[in-house]
């Protein structure tokens, strides 16, 4: 018997996540100097990491011989104070991606369905398929997520409804009212997973805590990978009713997040200055890129995350040509958007370089 024959059903056909290309790989493949390459492909923070987080991570390096506090007391108690929720309402994950997988362990199995938008974050579909459940994808309406269409796709078999706002890779944002209406429309057997990975970039992100307090079925996911600039450490969290969190806690490994990451994340929560600066710079960068795309006559989705989705036509060719010029962006053909590129907001000079290269490449 082959290994594939011995493997669980579905694993051989399980799709694989395609990440943005690392700088070193592009340098190797194209014979470029890595120092001259700019990556605008994975929505990473161009301003580095929260300095408070880095200092805490350095201190934590002195205790690598010890297992971390598997209950993540310091991080959960700080989150509890910051968000005004009980400590038992938080789960810490190895990136918020892990929490999506943990929800799969708790709620998904063959025969159940997960509802999501087309071109939504691919991890929702990957986790759904991994547990043998069925993804149900609803179309975007003019590159926007229509939440009534999403609600209409819920059936008696639906367990999880995935929604990111701002959405990735599309970038569009749903209002607090739309999201609240969706939550109120959920039948008792469906749970909304609201992915707030980019909510930190909004001035007034929707606040679902009152709906959680009312007993509505929703879990919110946040990450330290984006505005806090800690993508490499892999840490995120979810908050929800204590009863739901207790179930998700059962599905995780005892020390799922490493101690360096937990210490850095705890310190990052105090770094309001860094967050405010990144939010301000990001808003300016969105305006800079948007104005540049407009000048080039390119259609783009007016996103509010730290990236923009722009329609360039032959996206494969443009992507390759930009890469030749040392600029890594993200083709979104795997999301069914073959004419579009997703471009992460960089520093002002990086944005300028991208716009100049794009103008050049579009002309040739
Ligand atoms: C970046 C991102 C995340 C966060 O992933 P981590 O595992 O926390 O790094 C989650 N959801 C979406 C939509 C994202 O774009």
């Amino acid at each position: 018997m082959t290994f594939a024959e011995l493997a669980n059903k579905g694993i051989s056909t399980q799709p694989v996540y395609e990440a943005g290309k690392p700088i070193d790989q592009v340098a190797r493949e194209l014979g470029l100097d890595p120092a001259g390459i700019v990556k605008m492909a994975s929505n990473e923070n161009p301003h580095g990491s929260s300095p408070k987080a880095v200092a805490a991570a350095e201190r934590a390096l002195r205790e690598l011989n010890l297992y971390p506090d598997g209950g993540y007391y310091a991080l959960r108690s700080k989150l509890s104070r910051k968000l005004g929720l009980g400590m038992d309402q938080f789960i810490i994950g190895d990136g918020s991606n892990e929490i999506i997988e943990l929800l799969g362990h708790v709620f998904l199995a063959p025969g159940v369905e997960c509802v999501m938008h087309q071109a939504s974050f691919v991890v929702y579909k990957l986790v759904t398929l991994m547990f043998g459940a069925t993804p149900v994808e609803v179309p975007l309406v003019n590159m926007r997520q229509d939440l009534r269409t999403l609600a209409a796709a819920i059936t008696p078999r639906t367990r999880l409804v995935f929604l990111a706002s701002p959405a990735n890779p599309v970038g569009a944002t749903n209002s607090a009212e739309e999201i609240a209406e969706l939550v109120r429309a959920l039948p008792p057997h469906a749970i909304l997973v609201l992915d707030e990975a980019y909510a930190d970039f909004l001035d007034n992100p929707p606040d679902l805590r009152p709906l959680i307090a009312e007993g509505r079925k929703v879990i919110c996911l946040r990450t330290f990978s984006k505005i806090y600039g800690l993508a490499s450490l892999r840490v995120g969290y979810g908050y929800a009713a204590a009863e739901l969190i207790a179930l998700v806690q059962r599905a995780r490994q005892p020390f799922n997040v490493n101690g360096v990451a937990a210490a850095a994340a705890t310190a990052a929560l105090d770094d309001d200055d860094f967050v405010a600066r990144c939010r301000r710079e990001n808003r300016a960068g969105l305006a800079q890129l948007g104005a540049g795309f407009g000048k080039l006559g390119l259609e783009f989705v007016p996103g509010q995350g730290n990236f923009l989705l722009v329609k360039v036509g032959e996206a494969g060719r443009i992507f390759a040509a930009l890469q030749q010029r040392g600029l890594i962006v993200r083709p979104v053909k795997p999301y069914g958007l073959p004419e579009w590129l997703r471009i992460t907001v960089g520093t002002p000079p990086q944005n300028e370089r991208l716009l100049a290269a794009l103008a050049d490449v579009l002309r040739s």
Side-chain angles (χ1 to χ4, degrees):
M1 274 189 130
T2 66
F3 290 116
E5 284 162 352
L6 293 169
N8 286 331
K9 196 164 161 282
I11 198 73
S12 301
T13 52
Q14 171 74 12
V16 175
Y17 181 80
E18 284 180 53
K21 282 206 184 185
I23 287 177
D24 282 341
Q25 185 187 339
V26 171
R28 246 187 346 262
E29 289 174 359
L30 301 181
L32 300 172
D33 175 6
I37 298 180
V38 176
K39 186 172 170 211
M40 303 169 92
S42 299
N43 301 342
E44 291 149 336
N45 193 327
H47 308 290
S49 310
S50 148
K52 288 189 178 174
V54 173
E58 281 169 358
R59 284 192 298 277
L61 285 176
R62 293 173 211 148
E63 295 191 347
L64 290 182
N65 56 318
L66 302 178
Y67 281 102
D69 167 11
Y72 303 104
Y73 180 87
L75 180 51
R76 285 192 304 127
S77 62
K78 190 164 280 176
L79 285 168
S80 162
R81 266 176 279 134
K82 204 172 161 102
L83 276 78
L85 297 170
M87 266 185 73
D88 55 359
Q89 292 188 264
F90 293 93
I91 169 99
I92 311 301
D94 194 34
S96 55
N97 276 353
E98 191 202 11
I99 302 173
I100 300 172
E101 182 182 347
L102 296 178
L103 289 167
H105 280 289
V106 177
F107 293 108
L108 301 185
V112 315
E113 294 174 354
C114 295
V115 174
M116 62 197 77
H117 280 101
Q118 278 173 6
S120 62
F121 189 46
V122 71
V123 173
Y124 311 150
K125 186 156 54 172
L126 297 185
V127 167
T128 302
L129 292 170
M130 184 64 91
F131 289 94
T134 306
V136 175
E137 295 180 278
V138 308
L140 296 171
V141 179
N142 296 324
M143 300 305 276
R144 271 192 46 84
Q145 304 188 123
D146 183 71
L147 301 194
R148 289 184 181 165
T149 315
L150 194 68
I154 296 173
T155 74
R157 289 180 298 280
T158 307
R159 282 299 166 278
L160 301 179
V161 178
F162 287 105
L163 175 71
S165 179
N168 174 23
V170 173
T173 304
N174 291 101
S175 70
E177 293 71 28
E178 288 174 294
I179 295 171
E181 185 189 309
L182 170 67
V183 172
R184 295 212 164 87
L186 292 172
H189 58 272
I191 302 162
L192 176 68
V193 181
L194 182 67
D195 187 337
E196 302 183 315
Y198 301 97
D200 294 310
F201 294 100
L202 305 177
D203 283 326
N204 285 304
D207 180 359
L208 271 75
R209 289 172 295 182
L211 290 166
I212 292 172
E214 259 178 42
R216 300 285 173 178
K217 291 208 171 62
V218 54
I219 178 166
C220 300
L221 306 182
R222 294 235 170 178
T223 179
F224 289 92
S225 298
K226 306 284 157 61
I227 209 162
Y228 292 103
L230 301 175
S232 179
L233 287 179
R234 316 298 310 123
V235 52
Y237 62 96
Y239 57 100
E243 184 202 348
L244 168 52
I245 294 296
L247 292 170
V248 187
Q249 292 281 15
R250 288 175 173 272
R252 74 175 174 90
Q253 293 298 312
F255 307 103
N256 59 325
V257 175
N258 73 74
V260 179
T266 307
L269 288 173
D270 286 329
D271 210 340
D272 293 338
D273 289 348
F274 182 76
V275 169
R277 176 165 78 83
C278 291
R279 191 181 295 134
R280 209 167 47 238
E281 299 263 3
N282 185 65
R283 197 171 313 113
L286 286 172
Q288 184 186 2
L289 285 177
F293 296 154
K295 241 183 243 160
L296 294 171
L298 298 174
E299 184 188 336
F300 64 96
V301 179
Q304 292 181 271
N306 63 344
F307 58 91
L308 285 177
L309 191 71
V310 59
K311 193 171 187 179
V312 295
E314 304 168 90
R317 178 182 75 81
I318 308 279
F319 161 75
L322 288 173
Q323 205 170 239
Q324 285 290 348
R325 287 165 173 76
L327 291 156
I328 315 173
V329 299
R330 189 66 158 267
V332 282
K333 192 173 167 193
Y335 288 87
L337 300 167
E339 296 186 297
W340 299 75
L341 292 173
R342 191 192 68 189
I343 299 176
T344 303
V345 173
T347 62
Q350 289 172 347
N351 297 332
E352 203 178 294
R353 180 173 157 195
L354 181 279
L355 289 168
L358 191 56
D360 196 33
V361 163
L362 285 167
R363 243 182 276 118
S364 61

